[in-house]
Amino acid sequence: MITIENLSKRYGDNTVVDDVSMQIEKNSITVIVGTSGSGKSTLLRMINRLVEPSAGRVLLEGRDTRSEPAHLLRRRIGYAIQGHGLFPHRTVAENIATVPRLLGWAPERVKARVEELLHVFQLDPAKYSAAFPHELSGGQQQRVGVARALAAEPQVLLMDEPFGALDPIIRAKAQEDLLDIQRRFGTTVVLVTHDMDEAFHLGDRVAVMSGGRLLQYDEPAQLLTHPADPFVSRMTGLGDRALRLLSLTSAAAVALPGAAPGPKLQASASLREALSEMLWSGSQSCEVIGIEGGAPAHLTVDAILEHARPG
Amino acid sequence: MMRTATLLRLLALALLVSFLIVPQKFAPVFAPLTQYGAPPIYDQGNLLGLAIAHLGTVLLAAALSTVVAVGLGILVTRPAGREFLPLSRTLVNIGQTFPPVAVLAVTVPLVGFGEKPTLIALFAYGLLPIFENTIVALQTTPKAVMEAANGMGMSAGQRLVSVELPLAMPLILEGIRLSLVINVGTATIGSTVAAKGLGEVIIAGLLSNNTAFVLQGGLVTALMAVLLYDAMVGLERRVCRAVQVE
Ligand SMILES: Nc1ncnc2c1ncn2[C@@H]1O[C@H](COP(=O)(O)OP(=O)(O)O)[C@@H](O)[C@H]1O
Ligand SMILES: [Mg+2]
């Protein structure tokens, strides 16, 4: 758990992070969103002390992060950035091994961990271990950057617009990978983005920042149904908030028992996707497949619309 | 293309080595340049010995310049040493703008004749390119790479040794190359203060009005400079490949 208490950062007269307090739960993904220059990166970088706070403090598992030298703290916290920052003179394997080596792991353990991560990130070790970063595609470089951040099994992973430089298809894939990996390793992820879709898709909780202040820190649905500030509504988008809300609920969560005519839909799909399928096929219902237990299930347009407004 | 270049280089090396080992064989080439039966080949000392002494002085001076310039370059690019950048730059620039001959004139009374004043003059003259290249290289480490190194938990020293210096190496080597090549020629002035070197051959030629001597001293120096340049370029290529900088 990360506890942020009254954290501020000032550069001269310019307060770029203003008295921010928040609790970040273990094993969750917290997304910090806000317009450019709102202080997101500064807030994130104060967690691993790449930026030293002007006031306030950060506790990691109840322990003040200032109780040890900054570089030792950072070895316990994963950090992945936009543009990956891979070391160009080191191979993929050496890049991934950076923190384990700093921590003095035995060579066999380092090697095993590097291979494990290459597999997790779908990079064939035989092909990519000895490759240099410039020989990889953008998506692969980004994966190696995240693998490097996770190498020493950190409990906390900080990510600053990690997918910002990727094209939409690779970006979507990277987001799915992150969700998988977060579940697999149980890492506590704090991710900065200015992309609201990304925030809604990834975040268990979303923190909205503006002008250095934390406007709202809540579950995504709450941001839509109970915005704390007009700016939050503007950020989340008024025009398609009903559809956004639908995108937060899975078909499995609200499926009705029994079979029904219409297109087939995976249980993991969102209500937004379900509605879109029904509109597309001109059907009033759809069949939900892959429900746990295998029982027949369905959704109707009316049932979906129930979930498209605050209530 | 590559082939021809390599061939030319090997030819230059063969020419230099054979001239230094058996200079008398080249007498017919230089004879037309002499008058009144003067010797066509330098005969007041061992050419090979002079060339080796010359090269030794240049290499030693370059080693000293490298240690000091790279060390200073590292110092002034650290947060703690940043305020010394203007001062260091001024000092290094003086080293380059103060004529080496004048350095000799100033240092001889202090350290006596021979190698020492020459070493000092070459050392001061060779600092600038290495210093400037080191600074540029260390100041232009990609931001994301620095950020990652810090974020991974490298200490400042670990970051310097395992990230900054390896990435700076191609440019630093280029600085050393410039310094070396300039000083192979400049080192000839050492002979005015009795340092062993190829300047002796040129001065002997000037004193006895023997164009052949002057030309021999000049040619051997030039060939050495060219070959040194090539060797350094080769080294830089290998380092660039290891550092993966395109
Ligand atoms: N080292 C610094 N010195 C002065 N101002 C800074 C520094 N770092 C960031 N800032 C300023 O703080 C503000 C917030 O920056 P940042 O946290 O990077 O915003 P974001 O990540 O939300 O785009 C910006 O206005 C930026 O110019
Ligand atoms: Mg930012």
Side-chain angles (χ1 to χ4, degrees), chain B residues 128-154:
Chain B
L128 184 73
I130 307 176
F131 179 72
E132 284 298 331
N133 275 26
T134 303
I135 287 182
V136 168
L138 290 178
Q139 283 175 341
T140 53
T141 315
K143 255 193 87 190
V145 170
M146 289 291 273
E147 173 90 1
N150 292 330
M152 297 296 110
M154 290 189 184

Side-chain angles (χ1 to χ4, degrees), chain A:
Chain A
M1 192 168 72
I2 307 168
T3 310
I4 294 173
E5 287 181 1
N6 305 101
L7 209 56
S8 294
K9 180 65 189 180
R10 284 181 288 274
Y11 291 109
D13 291 338
N14 190 11
T15 304
V16 301
V17 171
D18 191 357
D19 197 23
V20 169
S21 297
M22 60 196 281
Q23 289 260 15
I24 293 166
E25 296 305 321
K26 243 179 138 62
N27 297 349
S28 69
I29 301 186
T30 295
V31 178
I32 304 172
V33 286
T35 48
S36 170
S38 56
K40 307 180 295 291
S41 297
T42 307
L43 178 61
L44 188 80
R45 289 153 52 91
M46 283 195 280
I47 296 175
N48 67 358
R49 290 177 58 200
L50 281 171
V51 172
E52 293 289 355
S54 309
R57 57 179 194 158
V58 178
L59 307 179
L60 204 62
E61 302 300 331
R63 202 163 141 227
D64 194 320
T65 50
R66 274 172 302 190
S67 59
E68 65 185 315
H71 67 279
L72 298 184
L73 170 75
R74 288 181 205 134
R75 291 176 193 173
R76 300 195 290 121
I77 299 178
Y79 187 55
I81 51 179
Q82 179 171 11
H84 61 73
L86 293 176
F87 303 132
H89 60 302
R90 292 192 171 176
T91 63
V92 165
E94 288 166 344
N95 265 286
I96 296 176
T98 305
V99 185
R101 282 197 184 147
L102 288 171
L103 291 170
W105 285 19
E108 313 82 63
R109 185 171 168 214
V110 176
K111 192 161 177 280
R113 178 66 176 161
V114 168
E115 295 225 337
E116 181 192 356
L117 282 165
L118 285 170
H119 280 300
V120 168
F121 285 88
Q122 301 132 43
L123 293 160
D124 177 10
K127 198 164 162 203
Y128 292 108
S129 277
F132 284 91
H134 74 98
E135 296 170 304
L136 307 182
S137 71
Q140 290 170 332
Q141 290 171 338
Q142 192 279 332
R143 264 138 71 198
V144 174
V146 179
R148 180 177 65 173
L150 289 170
E153 300 166 2
Q155 308 212 323
V156 174
L157 172 62
L158 307 181
M159 309 180 89
D160 196 344
E161 310 212 12
F163 313 131
L166 303 180
D167 62 60
I169 292 176
I170 297 176
R171 188 182 177 119
K173 168 91 171 68
Q175 290 170 347
E176 294 320 306
D177 286 352
L178 178 66
L179 288 170
D180 273 353
I181 280 152
Q182 195 273 333
R183 270 177 228 127
R184 182 175 183 143
F185 294 128
T187 318
T188 306
V189 177
V190 186
L191 183 145
V192 162
T193 181
H194 58 254
D195 175 351
M196 216 54 215
D197 288 321
E198 185 163 276
F200 272 77
H201 183 48
L202 296 177
D204 296 312
R205 301 193 93 198
V206 175
V208 182
M209 290 194 68
S210 174
R213 300 206 3 263
L214 178 61
L215 296 182
Q216 188 167 5
Y217 175 46
D218 231 325
E219 285 164 8
Q222 292 291 315
L223 295 184
L224 292 165
T225 56
H226 299 90
D229 186 288
F231 180 82
V232 175
S233 310
R234 278 214 302 286
M235 268 307 279
T236 53
L238 288 172
D240 59 353
R241 57 185 167 179
L243 294 173
R244 269 236 157 90
L245 194 55
L246 288 180
S247 74
L248 294 172
T249 309
S250 72
V254 296
L256 307 164
K264 284 185 171 46
L265 193 86
Q266 286 293 335
S268 60
S270 71
L271 293 186
R272 179 181 182 150
E273 288 166 298
L275 182 63
S276 174
E277 270 307 304
M278 287 184 242
L279 291 175
W280 193 254
S281 59
S283 169
Q284 285 295 315
S285 61
C286 72
E287 189 186 341
V288 179
I289 55 172
I291 293 275
E292 252 177 84
H298 73 282
L299 277 171
T300 62
V301 170
D302 288 340
I304 289 176
L305 296 187
E306 280 299 305
H307 295 275
R309 55 180 175 267

